[in-house]
Amino acid sequence: MEVLIHFVFQLFKIGILAFLYSFLWRKLLIIITLFKPNWKVKEQMSYYPTIYVSLLIFSFTYFGNHGLGDGPKIPIGYWETVENVNWEDYGYLEKVKSSDGKKIEFEKFLVKNNKLCGKYGGFFYNYKHSYFVYDLCTKKLMEFETKLVYNKHADKNDLPKSNELLSFYKNYNNYWGGIRFLIYP
């Protein structure tokens, strides 16, 4: 049910954005014709349907998909996403496994320098290690047994320390909030 409600909201928001973008596009074309009078612009042509469909398609791409309803997502780079279910505090990576063969779930994380740094946690798994660094570029996972060992590694490599890691909800708001919320579908 949450997915349907969010999708209807998404369609409504895309409609408003398409109206604003088509209005701005028409004004830009009018300004261009002032400087280039030979350039013909069809005044009757409506840009709204094209922009609406483009924004709808964009909302389902890697860069625009923030999840529908109770399945929020954050793109973190290199075609990887941190996902969540039912807005719990835990995020997870779908395709990556820990050294003990379990799906990676984490309670806090942050992406810096193309590396996902996180603290393991979740409802279903107990992990051998406490912290990890996943290199998004090379797809390699490093794990750390204690906070102290992780913080030493973070100091050497200009990564966030354990106290700088944020919950899924805060990361989601930092990424999708603000100007992105206003201009993206």
Side-chain angles (χ1 to χ4, degrees), residues 88-155:
E88 296 292 334
D89 288 334
Y90 303 104
Y92 63 90
L93 289 174
E94 189 66 39
K95 302 171 192 165
V96 183
K97 302 279 185 196
S98 68
S99 62
D100 34 347
K102 300 172 184 168
K103 183 167 86 171
I104 293 183
E105 286 188 2
F106 38 91
E107 58 188 52
K108 293 186 176 203
F109 70 98
L110 200 61
V111 176
K112 186 174 180 184
N113 300 333
N114 295 321
K115 292 177 177 52
L116 172 66
C117 305
K119 180 180 185 324
Y120 281 121
F123 291 120
F124 300 112
Y125 304 116
N126 288 326
Y127 297 95
K128 287 192 288 189
H129 302 92
S130 299
Y131 291 85
F132 68 92
V133 174
Y134 178 65
D135 190 323
L136 297 167
C137 185
T138 64
K139 309 291 186 207
K140 294 196 178 181
L141 180 70
M142 293 177 62
E143 296 176 306
F144 307 93
E145 289 188 20
T146 65
K147 183 191 297 189
L148 182 65
V149 175
Y150 168 77
N151 283 333
K152 283 182 184 178
H153 178 77
D155 275 339

Side-chain angles (χ1 to χ4, degrees), residues 10 23 29 43 59 78 82 91 99 112 115 138 166 169 181:
Q10 193 80 349
F23 175 79
L29 291 177
E43 284 297 320
S59 72
Y78 294 92
V82 173
S99 62
K112 186 174 180 184
K115 292 177 177 52
T138 64
L166 302 172
Y169 185 75
F181 179 76

Side-chain angles (χ1 to χ4, degrees), residues 67-82:
L68 286 175
D70 56 355
K73 297 178 184 181
I74 307 169
I76 56 174
Y78 294 92
W79 304 103
E80 296 280 351
T81 57
V82 173

